[in-house]
Amino acid sequence: MANNPLAEVFGFPTDNMSDLATRHRNGRLCPFHNSSGMNCTKSSATDPIGVCTIFDGKKVVATCPVRFREDYKLVSDAADFFFPGKQFIALTEARLKDKNGKAAGNIDVVLAAVDDRGRIIDFGAVEVQAVYITGNVKNVFKKYMEDPSSNSAMDWPKQNYPKPDYLSSSRKRLAPQLLYKGSILHSWKKRMAVAVDENFFAELPDLPVTDKASADIAWFVYSFTKSEEDSRYVLNLKEVKFTKFKETLSKITMPEIGEVDDFIAYLADRIKKDKTMGIPASSLEEPEVEPLPSQVENNED
């Protein structure tokens, strides 16, 4: 386990002390095309927690969905799945409603294919899934930002050490996204692309795959490779998996059923040891990006 759990802050590795990295830290800037503006707005527009990725052992894990917008690689990859070779326009945070006009959530990115006259002839939806964090990442971030040069190699205590919670990320975040927004899109016969990093995808159940032509969902699995030339992590497409909607949803939302006797034995052991009051679950840091107030107001129009 790395002493410092933070991999990237405001777009740069924590041990990168270049002028460019320093300017991003001082200005709280986001180099990955945050739709809210030039600044990072994670958790707060005025006091952001600028953590892009953290370490899980030696692995680099994305904790901010904006991290997947590096150089717009994801947009190009998704367009090749939806409508290869066609002209398209990308829109972020597209509001989706159900039949009764109730909000079903915002789609992270919508790619709309257009003809020569600018008319929409098709579209596809892109969902980006970063991971929840257990433990306290805010305290680590604040400590690092006090003196990045000295604290990049800090020995952070293991108590409440930030780490990814893949299970909560899939069941509490990804599954509802697929259920609500995905069901609407599937009924319209529109395809989805889901972007995740390789560590998150490895923790998902084995999804039944199909071929590209018949797929409803394309899973774009990315990795982060550190470039020795400029000491930055680079987003790389590792693999693409194609799945059908209903089979995917069933696999992600349905757990593998264990033995009831094992659960009864666990309860009996708790009672025997007089441990009837359990320890509360660790708090979760959501992989959210908070929009600026003007965006919230515009969404209400």
Side-chain angles (χ1 to χ4, degrees), residues 188-257:
W188 291 342
K189 295 181 172 56
K190 297 302 177 182
R191 288 171 140 187
M192 293 183 67
V194 181
V196 295
D197 68 42
E198 60 178 333
N199 309 295
F200 184 20
F201 189 78
E203 296 295 328
L204 292 176
D206 289 333
L207 302 177
V209 297
T210 186
D211 60 280
K212 181 179 179 179
S214 60
D216 302 312
I217 304 173
W219 296 81
F220 292 94
V221 183
Y222 293 93
S223 62
F224 298 99
T225 305
K226 194 168 187 180
S227 168
E228 298 302 328
E229 183 178 350
D230 56 4
S231 187
R232 295 186 67 175
Y233 287 104
V234 179
L235 184 73
N236 296 299
L237 181 62
K238 182 179 180 181
E239 61 179 335
V240 184
K241 296 289 187 180
F242 301 106
T243 64
K244 304 287 283 184
F245 176 75
K246 291 183 179 179
E247 289 86 344
T248 297
L249 191 61
S250 175
K251 194 71 174 181
I252 291 179
T253 57
M254 293 297 294
E256 295 185 31
I257 309 300

Side-chain angles (χ1 to χ4, degrees), residues 93 95 106 291 294-301:
E93 298 300 324
R95 183 171 49 185
N106 284 2
S294 59
Q295 286 190 303
V296 177
E297 294 168 2
N298 291 337
N299 284 340
E300 297 300 325
D301 292 341

Side-chain angles (χ1 to χ4, degrees), residues 21-47:
T22 300
R23 287 203 302 272
H24 276 72
R25 285 192 288 265
N26 291 343
R28 299 175 298 178
L29 302 174
C30 174
F32 303 124
H33 312 293
N34 185 7
S35 58
S36 295
M38 291 182 287
N39 295 97
C40 172
T41 54
K42 187 175 181 181
S43 297
S44 170
T46 57
D47 187 23

Side-chain angles (χ1 to χ4, degrees), residues 43-243:
S43 297
S44 170
T46 57
D47 187 23
I49 301 175
V51 179
C52 314
T53 56
I54 65 171
F55 288 111
D56 180 14
K58 294 183 178 180
K59 302 174 183 176
V60 176
V61 182
T63 61
C64 177
V66 176
R67 182 62 184 86
F68 290 92
R69 295 184 184 180
E70 178 188 325
D71 296 336
Y72 296 119
K73 296 175 185 176
L74 170 59
V75 174
S76 299
D77 293 338
D80 185 60
F81 170 59
F82 295 143
F83 23 69
K86 287 188 171 58
Q87 181 180 353
F88 65 89
I89 298 173
L91 303 90
T92 64
E93 298 300 324
R95 183 171 49 185
L96 188 65
K97 294 182 178 181
D98 66 13
K99 183 179 180 179
N100 300 312
K102 294 183 179 180
N106 284 2
I107 301 172
D108 293 332
V109 182
V110 170
L111 303 185
V114 295
D115 62 17
D116 293 337
R117 299 177 61 183
R119 295 173 299 189
I120 297 175
I121 56 177
D122 197 2
F123 71 88
V126 181
E127 285 295 315
V128 180
Q129 184 58 63
V131 299
Y132 285 97
I133 306 173
T134 60
N136 192 313
V137 74
K138 182 176 181 180
N139 288 346
V140 189
F141 169 73
K142 293 291 186 183
K143 182 64 177 178
Y144 168 76
M145 289 296 292
E146 289 176 5
D147 187 354
S149 181
S150 298
N151 293 338
S152 62
M154 61 185 172
D155 188 10
W156 196 255
K158 291 184 179 180
Q159 184 177 7
N160 213 18
Y161 195 94
K163 59 182 180 180
D165 187 330
Y166 299 110
L167 186 60
S168 293
S169 302
S170 60
R171 290 186 179 175
K172 294 183 179 180
R173 188 70 180 178
L174 180 58
Q177 302 291 323
L178 292 177
L179 178 62
Y180 292 102
K181 291 183 281 188
S183 294
I184 294 174
L185 293 165
H186 182 63
S187 69
W188 291 342
K189 295 181 172 56
K190 297 302 177 182
R191 288 171 140 187
M192 293 183 67
V194 181
V196 295
D197 68 42
E198 60 178 333
N199 309 295
F200 184 20
F201 189 78
E203 296 295 328
L204 292 176
D206 289 333
L207 302 177
V209 297
T210 186
D211 60 280
K212 181 179 179 179
S214 60
D216 302 312
I217 304 173
W219 296 81
F220 292 94
V221 183
Y222 293 93
S223 62
F224 298 99
T225 305
K226 194 168 187 180
S227 168
E228 298 302 328
E229 183 178 350
D230 56 4
S231 187
R232 295 186 67 175
Y233 287 104
V234 179
L235 184 73
N236 296 299
L237 181 62
K238 182 179 180 181
E239 61 179 335
V240 184
K241 296 289 187 180
F242 301 106
T243 64

